[in-house]
Amino acid sequence: MITESDIEHIAELADIGISKDEVPEFTTQFNAILDYFEVLDTVEGESAPDAGIVNVFRDDEPRPGLSQEEALANAGSTENGFIKAPRVM
């Protein structure tokens, strides 16, 4: 069972702002989620996939691609043959 102090600790670790008024609601919701996991633990079923399953991926087959000019044709901005993106920081 998750307590309100656990929720406050998790919120601090996740760096999300939860007000004191929201803590009881989150505690109830969190415990409800954990209750669902307990229900799932009681479900019986096969524990592993059928051993007859094999790799279903297709083989890679090289195909012609775009030229550099075609690849850059719709780029908003280019520089020295590369797509130029805005600075992030």
Side-chain angles (χ1 to χ4, degrees):
M1 171 124 175
I2 300 295
T3 64
E4 291 186 2
S5 64
D6 293 330
I7 294 296
E8 291 170 352
H9 181 68
I10 292 168
E12 183 180 335
L13 291 174
D15 195 24
I16 54 175
I18 296 179
S19 69
K20 291 284 186 186
D21 296 335
E22 295 174 309
V23 171
E25 181 181 357
F26 275 95
T27 305
T28 302
Q29 292 173 349
F30 208 103
N31 282 313
I33 292 168
L34 293 179
D35 289 341
Y36 286 127
F37 278 104
E38 288 179 16
V39 170
L40 290 175
D41 286 340
T42 64
V43 174
E44 292 187 24
E46 295 181 21
S47 60
D50 183 18
I53 295 177
V54 295
N55 187 354
V56 294
F57 296 112
R58 63 171 170 75
D59 290 332
D60 288 336
E61 297 175 9
R63 297 185 298 190
L66 299 174
S67 68
Q68 184 173 11
E69 292 79 27
E70 292 172 318
L72 296 175
N74 290 324
S77 179
T78 63
E79 184 176 300
N80 298 325
F82 297 97
I83 295 173
K84 184 176 180 181
R87 288 185 158 239
V88 176
M89 295 177 93

